[in-house]
Every structure is written in structure tokens, then in C-alpha cells.
Amino acid sequence: MNIRPPTLSQVAARAGVSVKTASRALNGEPYVSRATGRRVREAADELGYRLNGLARELRTGGTSALVGLISGDLANPFYSAVASGVERELRRHGLLLVTVNNDEDAQLERSLAEALLERRVRALLIVPSGDGVIGGHDVPLVFLDRPPVDHAADSVLIDNAGGARSAAQHLLAGGHRRIALVADLLRTASQRARIDGFAAAMRAAGNPEWEPYLRTDVHDAATAERVVGELLAGPEPPTALFTTNNRLTTGALRALRGRARPPALVGFDDFELADVVGVTVVAHDMTELGRAAARLAYERIGGHTGPPRTVVIPTTLIARGSGERPARP
Amino acid sequence: MNIRPPTLSQVAARAGVSVKTASRALNGEPYVSRATGRRVREAADELGYRLNGLARELRTGGTSALVGLISGDLANPFYSAVASGVERELRRHGLLLVTVNNDEDAQLERSLAEALLERRVRALLIVPSGDGVIGGHDVPLVFLDRPPVDHAADSVLIDNAGGARSAAQHLLAGGHRRIALVADLLRTASQRARIDGFAAAMRAAGNPEWEPYLRTDVHDAATAERVVGELLAGPEPPTALFTTNNRLTTGALRALRGRARPPALVGFDDFELADVVGVTVVAHDMTELGRAAARLAYERIGGHTGPPRTVVIPTTLIARGSGERPARP
DNA sequence: TTGAAAGCGCTAACAG
DNA sequence: CTGTTAGCGCTTTCAA
């Protein structure tokens, strides 16, 4: 366990050749005679030799085969879907994914970025926890889901405003006026965009009646459950609900469970079993979000220069029943 | 973008000291005068210097701060919960998690393990895709969810047999006799253990009537949906269903949707919204599974020797309605 | 087709 | 308190 693994020079010695020849043989370079190549490979096998990627990378340019992803907890299906897409795309190019959880803390995020950069990751993908500034580096940076503050950089965003607008319009079309909006932390740009999109649609439809039912900075399912319960317990409860991410939709569903006449519900983010539960959602391809980000990063790694690019992932409203419940007067 | 980042010796030169002094200053070692320390740090800031972890690690022992996790797709909530637990625990110790997806392919798994070992990960955590042998290394190995074949190693397992037995007993207690068992790939030991536990309980209860309703190697939700549909369409349909993982439970729920008199259902693995949908499950703490594995790995990294250990994560049956539907004659 | 020497960026060991 | 020398394991010259 604690003995050092065999080195190339040990292999070379055993095969009776120089280190360089051993190196050539094991890397499949040309100009190695068949016999020598075989001898080296045998020696390597006997010793259980494995290349030392650290040394190689140090020598060949000081950068690793690693790409870092900083996001929220992988236990959240949104982040894990993104990570899955990123990993898939990276693997195609022989790159490895290092995932770290920022715990939604901007300061931790910065120090994690620092740790990853010390490890000489080839690129850094970030789902920013808030408005932490990370720029000023020589490593390609790609922002996911939320645009970078303060400086331009490649990013992949969801059509947040458009998606929220479609949800709003869908509910308006169902005859709803008193529509509650339950949103997550205002400090994330994606949440603000969703709220703005919703508000814009309401304004366009000349409906101000939703305003008393706006609840923001609701950050977990339990709080969402409570908030929705309170909204419905009021004297003039909303006839419809729009929740701005999967966690909040989950909480709302818990609050609605068992109610005789539940309000209409549309949630941002699709989720497993939404079809079974019959929840109308604003869906978007989270895995593709990750893939697109990895692609942008890979192009930069490959030397692409040019102005920052932004990819926007479209949204689709999927009607499954909950969003089509009629307004009651 | 392509200029080499500044090195320690550049910092040293700028600060007018030797490399070693610069190294000491930046690593917070003792025996550096205040003034020198300040000068070095200033020089580093001006140059935008960042330590090169690759070089450091090569020098200090040839191993990185990385731990590898090889598992199925992170898009599956089981794997992402595990990864979340692993990452949390590793982060406490300043270790970084590299996640790779084996695509359920034993050969890919081996080559990924090889790639990670070349990067000199400090430990390797594996949720084996099947019966691929990975042993024979000098790096700590921990197996998750499925025991290693062929050689002893640390592992963290779920009480598969016990959980399946409790599901079986629960359904038997509800008066069911014709109980369908829908299981995933037989080549994974965890699936076999679940089937065995179920079968043992049936045998103990003297009930052979489930046997015609055994379906195995059902690997995705769509297939599960179809299989369950077929089971229920038969002349003498089962009155209850046991699905052996979250994907299959999802499929079963889709098949059951809208049925007037659905059979009872118990699923292995808890999942988001199981409470909302009212699904009785055999639950277990997947995040803790990951944490425990990371802990075992960390102890080995720290030099712990001794025989392989096995941690078993207990299961709990959570009754939520679907598993309590009575048997109809 | 092969090898010797140099050095990637850092730290350990030993002087001063 | 600070500096010098050596070398981690590999690849890149350049020469044989």
C-alpha cells in the first residue's frame, strides 16, 4: 500500500533499454523495433506499471485532463441532470469531470474555484450560487443557468423569462386572475428573470391581481409547502399557482395533497413522475444545458478565441392537467 | 490564454528572494520574516500567481487530492444521491471528487478505472456495473451497493435481502398471494439479493403463487411500464406488485395510472414525491451510503490497514397507501 | 531505431 | 530566518 508504484525508469531498466525508449514503446510512438517494444511491454506488465499522469501533465504543459463543475448539491435533480450532460460530453474528449458542491455559498464557491484552478483544470463550469465574481483567469470559464456578473464570458442559459411568460399566459387563458407566484432566492438572476417574465405577461394582460400573492426567497420544499398552505388559507385565496423551480413545485404538491378543490398549478422545471402526478410544467432539457456548456468549454480548450457566446435553451409548456384546472370565481 | 501562468521562481525573482523562501511564504510555513512574507505575497498578487498543484503533488509523493467515483448515470437519482454524499464527506478533508459514468458497461468501467488510476487518484469508489473485476491495485478501493467479485475489499451495501423480505411480508400480511416481482438486470448482485430475499419470504410463508409473475432483466422505466401492463392484462392478474428499484417503480406507476382498481404496489428505493403519489417503499439512506463509502476510503488513505470492512445500510418500509391496498379474490 | 541530458514547477534536505 | 542543491516521473530536445 505504501510502497511507491513502479516508475518508467524501472521498466526501462528491466527491459534493458533507456527511459526514452520505454516511453516511446508504451506510448505507441513510431521508431521502436518490434522486439524492443515487446520487451518493454512485458517488463511493464511484470512490474504492474501504470503511467503517472501527474508527471506527464506537468511535463507537457502544466495542465491536467480535468474540467471542474461547481454547482449546487447533486441531490437536486436539476444539478445532477446538468452534471450528467457535462460528463457525457467531456468523456467523448477524454476529459474527466470534477464536481464540487458550492452549498449555495458564494465564498465557498470562490475558494473551491481556487482549489480547482490550483489543480490546473482545463476549464471551469459554474452554476453560480449568487453574484460571486469569479473572473480574471486564464482558464476558460462557462457559466450555466445564470449569467456571469461583471464580465462577459461564455454562458448557457434557460429561456427563463420566456418560460415564465408562457406559464403566465397559460393560466390567464384558463381564466385565472388571482395567481400566486412562489419563487426562490431573489439573488439568483434566473429567479429574477422568471419573476420578470411572469410579471410582464400579467402587465400585458392588464392583470394586477396577482401582486398580493407574490412570495419570494422561498428556498426549500418545506417552506414552499408552508407558504402555499398559508396562501390558500387566506380570505381570498389564489385560484392558481406558479412555482419557479422543481423544489418549490414539490412543496406545493405536498400542500395541495388531499385538497378537494386544489388551485391550478404550473411549475418551472420538469421532473420525474410529473406525468404520473399530472403536473403542468415549463420543461427544458437540463442535460442538454450541461452538454452545451461542455461543448463551449471544449472549444475554448481547443484554442477557440472570439467574443463570449451565449446559448439559450428553449422551454416548452407541457400541459398535464394541473395547469388546466379552471378558475373558480 | 496561451501564455504560461507565472511560476514560483518568477515570484521569487520579483520579490528578490529564493524560490524556497517564496515557497515557504506562500505556504504559510514558519521561519519567514514578516517583511519578506509580505514582499513575496505582493509579488505573487501582482503576477496573478497560483500554486501549481500538479508540480506540488508530483514532488510530495506522486498522488493527487482526487478521489474517483465510478457509477451509473448521475441522471439516476440513486447515483446522484450517492455522489452527493461522497462529495460532502470528501470535501471535509480537502479531497476532490471525480465522477465518471460507466454507462453500465463493464469494459468501459475498467478503462475508466485505469484512466483514474493514471491520474493518481487517492482512492477509487465503485458502484460496479456488473461482475467486472477491478482489483489488484495499490490504491484503496471501496465498493458501493454491490460487493466486489473475486476479492475482498471494503464495501458499503444496502440490506437488500432484508428490505425485499420486509416488502414481501408486508404484502403477504395484506392478504396477497399472487404477487408479481419486477426486477432489473440479474447480473447485478444487488438485484439478485432482492429477488432472493423476496423468494425466501414467500417460501417461509408457504406461498408459491408468485412464481408465474416473476419478471427479470427489466432495465428501464418504459420496459417496466410495458411489463406491468402485460401482467395486469393476463387472465389471472397479480393482486400486488413489488418493483426492485426506483426506475421500475416509476414505470409501474405509469402503467397503473388511471386504473380503477390498481394492484397493491411496493417499490424498492424511496424517491421524491413518493409521499405525494402515496407509494409504499423500502427506503434507505442513499446519501449516507455515499458518505460511509467516502469515510472508509478516507481511513485507508490515512493508512488504516486491516481486513476489509462491510457497512450495511438498513432499510425501512414506509407505508404510504399503495402497498396497503387489499387483495381481491 | 535508440539514448543522454535537460527541465516542467515544486518541495525536502541540508546548509548557512 | 534564508538559500542551494537535488529530484519527483515524465517528455522534449538533440545527438548517435
Side-chain angles (χ1 to χ4, degrees):
Chain A
M1 178 87 103
N2 275 324
I3 48 147
R4 286 288 190 104
T7 72
L8 187 58
S9 69
Q10 288 173 37
V11 173
R14 183 172 188 113
V17 298
S18 76
V19 255
K20 180 59 220 186
T21 301
S23 167
R24 276 196 270 257
L26 295 175
N27 286 307
E29 286 175 35
Y31 302 120
V32 179
S33 78
R34 282 179 148 279
T36 314
R38 205 168 34 69
R39 274 223 315 292
V40 172
R41 254 167 282 118
E42 273 171 13
D45 280 356
E46 286 161 19
L47 260 43
Y49 174 74
R50 176 176 305 121
L51 228 139
N52 185 333
L54 249 39
R56 178 214 286 258
E57 286 160 355
L58 175 60
R59 181 63 244 236
T60 55
T63 89
S64 71
L66 268 33
V67 168
L69 170 66
I70 305 180
S71 76
D73 194 340
L74 287 180
N76 182 325
F78 173 74
Y79 297 120
S80 59
V82 169
S84 163
V86 170
E87 197 273 340
R88 270 218 148 58
E89 186 68 25
L90 291 179
R91 187 144 43 86
R92 295 184 46 212
H93 305 297
L95 295 168
L96 290 169
L97 172 63
V98 184
T99 46
V100 298
N101 176 358
N102 61 19
D103 267 351
E104 321 256 334
D105 174 337
Q107 190 166 354
L108 177 59
E109 184 166 289
R110 253 191 308 276
S111 80
L112 290 171
E114 206 49 46
L116 289 169
L117 290 168
E118 277 192 7
R119 255 91 211 175
R120 292 299 190 262
V121 291
R122 306 270 301 251
L124 212 42
L125 312 186
I126 308 178
V127 188
S129 72
D131 46 0
V133 183
I134 301 250
H137 294 302
D138 43 356
V139 168
L141 243 50
V142 180
F143 287 79
L144 288 78
D145 186 39
R146 299 155 201 176
V149 287
D150 244 33
H151 64 102
D154 286 343
S155 43
V156 184
L157 306 175
I158 296 166
D159 180 12
N160 290 305
R165 199 180 318 118
S166 70
Q169 287 165 348
H170 190 75
L171 290 169
L172 286 167
H176 296 277
R177 308 286 291 173
R178 299 198 307 275
I179 307 174
L181 175 51
V182 181
D184 204 322
L185 301 179
L186 280 176
R187 71 170 145 86
T188 67
S190 48
Q191 285 294 313
R192 290 197 301 270
R194 289 171 198 182
I195 296 171
D196 291 350
F198 182 90
M202 290 296 149
R203 213 170 322 129
N207 176 30
E209 291 184 48
W210 68 282
E211 288 168 7
Y213 305 103
L214 171 64
R215 298 292 182 277
T216 65
D217 292 307
V218 181
H219 188 51
D220 56 60
T223 310
E225 181 175 357
R226 186 171 52 69
V227 165
V228 170
E230 287 165 8
L231 279 166
L232 297 180
E236 209 166 37
T239 65
L241 249 49
F242 176 46
T243 46
T244 60
N245 72 27
N246 59 5
R247 269 200 307 269
L248 307 185
T249 306
T250 298
L253 286 170
R254 296 213 170 104
L256 263 47
R257 184 170 28 156
R259 299 220 172 221
R261 310 191 60 189
L265 170 66
V266 176
F268 208 107
D269 297 336
D270 200 2
F271 57 91
E272 182 106 39
L273 293 186
D275 57 337
V276 170
V277 186
V279 179
T280 298
V281 298
V282 176
H284 48 84
D285 191 335
M286 303 174 281
T287 304
E288 177 56 27
L289 174 69
R291 267 215 206 82
R295 272 195 295 266
L296 291 178
Y298 185 69
E299 287 170 19
R300 294 285 180 191
I301 290 173
H304 174 93
T305 59
R309 297 155 297 172
T310 300
V311 174
V312 175
I313 304 289
T315 62
T316 325
L317 190 135
I318 304 180
R320 294 198 181 107
S322 77
E324 291 70 50
R325 290 195 281 258
R328 295 167 288 123
Chain B
M1 176 87 101
N2 275 326
I3 48 148
R4 286 288 190 104
T7 71
L8 187 57
S9 68
Q10 289 173 37
V11 173
R14 183 174 189 113
V17 297
S18 76
V19 258
K20 180 62 215 184
T21 300
S23 167
R24 276 195 271 257
L26 295 175
N27 285 305
E29 284 175 37
Y31 303 122
V32 179
S33 79
R34 284 181 145 278
T36 314
R38 205 168 36 68
R39 274 222 316 291
V40 172
R41 254 168 280 120
E42 273 170 11
D45 281 355
E46 286 160 19
L47 260 42
Y49 173 75
R50 175 176 306 121
L51 230 139
N52 185 332
L54 248 39
R56 179 216 285 262
E57 285 161 356
L58 176 60
R59 179 65 245 237
T60 55
T63 88
S64 70
L66 268 33
V67 169
L69 170 65
I70 304 180
S71 76
D73 194 341
L74 287 180
N76 181 326
F78 174 74
Y79 296 121
S80 60
V82 169
S84 164
V86 170
E87 197 273 340
R88 270 218 148 59
E89 185 68 24
L90 291 180
R91 185 144 45 86
R92 296 184 45 212
H93 306 297
L95 296 169
L96 291 170
L97 172 62
V98 184
T99 47
V100 298
N101 177 356
N102 60 19
D103 268 349
E104 321 256 336
D105 174 336
Q107 190 165 354
L108 177 59
E109 184 167 290
R110 254 191 307 275
S111 81
L112 290 171
E114 206 49 46
L116 289 169
L117 291 169
E118 277 192 6
R119 256 89 210 176
R120 291 299 190 262
V121 291
R122 306 270 301 252
L124 211 43
L125 312 186
I126 307 178
V127 188
S129 72
D131 46 0
V133 183
I134 301 249
H137 294 302
D138 43 356
V139 168
L141 242 51
V142 180
F143 287 79
L144 289 78
D145 187 38
R146 299 155 202 176
V149 285
D150 244 33
H151 64 101
D154 286 343
S155 43
V156 184
L157 307 175
I158 297 167
D159 180 12
N160 290 306
R165 198 179 319 118
S166 71
Q169 288 165 350
H170 190 74
L171 290 169
L172 285 167
H176 296 277
R177 307 286 291 173
R178 298 198 308 275
I179 307 174
L181 175 50
V182 181
D184 204 323
L185 301 179
L186 279 177
R187 71 170 145 87
T188 65
S190 47
Q191 286 293 313
R192 289 197 301 271
R194 289 170 198 182
I195 296 171
D196 291 350
F198 182 91
M202 290 297 150
R203 214 172 318 127
N207 177 31
E209 291 184 48
W210 68 282
E211 289 168 8
Y213 305 104
L214 170 65
R215 299 292 182 275
T216 65
D217 291 309
V218 182
H219 188 51
D220 55 59
T223 309
E225 181 175 357
R226 186 173 51 70
V227 165
V228 169
E230 288 165 7
L231 279 167
L232 297 181
E236 207 167 38
T239 65
L241 250 49
F242 176 47
T243 47
T244 60
N245 71 27
N246 59 5
R247 268 198 309 269
L248 307 185
T249 307
T250 298
L253 286 170
R254 296 213 170 105
L256 263 46
R257 183 171 29 156
R259 299 220 172 221
R261 310 190 61 189
L265 171 67
V266 176
F268 207 108
D269 295 338
D270 200 1
F271 57 92
E272 183 108 36
L273 294 186
D275 57 338
V276 170
V277 186
V279 178
T280 297
V281 299
V282 174
H284 48 84
D285 191 336
M286 304 175 280
T287 304
E288 177 56 26
L289 174 69
R291 268 215 205 84
R295 272 195 294 267
L296 291 178
Y298 185 67
E299 287 170 19
R300 294 284 180 191
I301 289 173
H304 174 92
T305 59
R309 296 155 299 172
T310 299
V311 174
V312 175
I313 304 289
T315 62
T316 325
L317 190 136
I318 305 180
R320 294 196 181 108
S322 76
E324 291 70 50
R325 291 195 280 260
R328 294 167 289 124

